[in-house]
Amino acid sequence: VAWVLGGIAVGIPAGAALLSRGEPVLLLTALGGLLVAVGAVFLVLPPGGAVAWPGWSRPLVGALSGVLTGLFGTGGPPLIVYYQMQGLDKSAFRGTLMTLFLAMTAIRVPSYVAVGLVTPARLWSGLAVLPAVLLGAWLGHRLHVRISDRLFRILVCVLLVLLGAMLLIR
């Protein structure tokens, strides 16, 4: 996780700087297509088995995730692919991602402030959706403890496809 986080720490400010300079529609479209493809492939792959990623890939995955977080606020897909392919059980998968997402937020907020992306209107928007975020976190935890690893993996794949489709439609 530390090597992935190092890449994230470099990628988020870079993505935030890119975001402050233009509208990355092409990148969003590419990301949406990639998510749909990856989610669909994971849905048809047989369960089990794990990929032993080389050590040098960790900071690269982190940097890609960081740039996407800085650009779009959605750096989870590279991490989901990376850790899903390692064959982690659902608790380890979820715990690892939640740790990284917390760290990403701690890096993203000052990065956005530094490039002038944080405004009072955006702060109010964030506060407005906070109840929905807290409800979603609570529901996600309740579901996590009740579903099997297999169903969890299927849900992750379906959510990747849906997230990608939403990016493509948008």
Side-chain angles (χ1 to χ4, degrees), residues 26-152:
L26 180 61
L27 287 174
L28 270 176
T29 303
L31 175 63
L34 178 67
L35 293 179
V36 169
V38 168
V41 167
F42 279 148
L43 277 172
V44 298
L45 284 178
V51 173
W53 292 87
W56 56 263
S57 68
R58 293 180 199 122
L60 295 178
V61 168
L64 176 59
S65 178
V67 168
L68 292 174
T69 296
L71 274 171
F72 312 121
T74 181
L79 299 174
I80 291 167
V81 169
Y82 181 76
Y83 288 109
Q84 176 88 345
M85 290 181 70
Q86 286 187 11
L88 298 178
D89 69 52
K90 67 179 182 174
S91 294
F93 179 82
R94 185 171 175 254
T96 300
L97 289 182
M98 292 302 103
T99 300
L100 290 169
F101 291 161
L102 177 63
M104 290 163 81
T105 300
I107 297 166
R108 182 170 42 146
V109 171
S111 296
Y112 280 10
V113 169
V115 296
L117 293 171
V118 176
T119 64
R122 289 182 179 144
L123 289 173
W124 283 113
S125 295
L127 285 174
V129 299
L130 186 59
V133 169
L134 295 174
L135 177 62
W138 178 79
L139 285 172
H141 175 71
R142 302 276 301 180
L143 288 172
H144 165 260
V145 298
R146 294 178 180 199
I147 62 175
S148 69
D149 276 0
R150 177 167 161 50
L151 180 56
F152 179 79

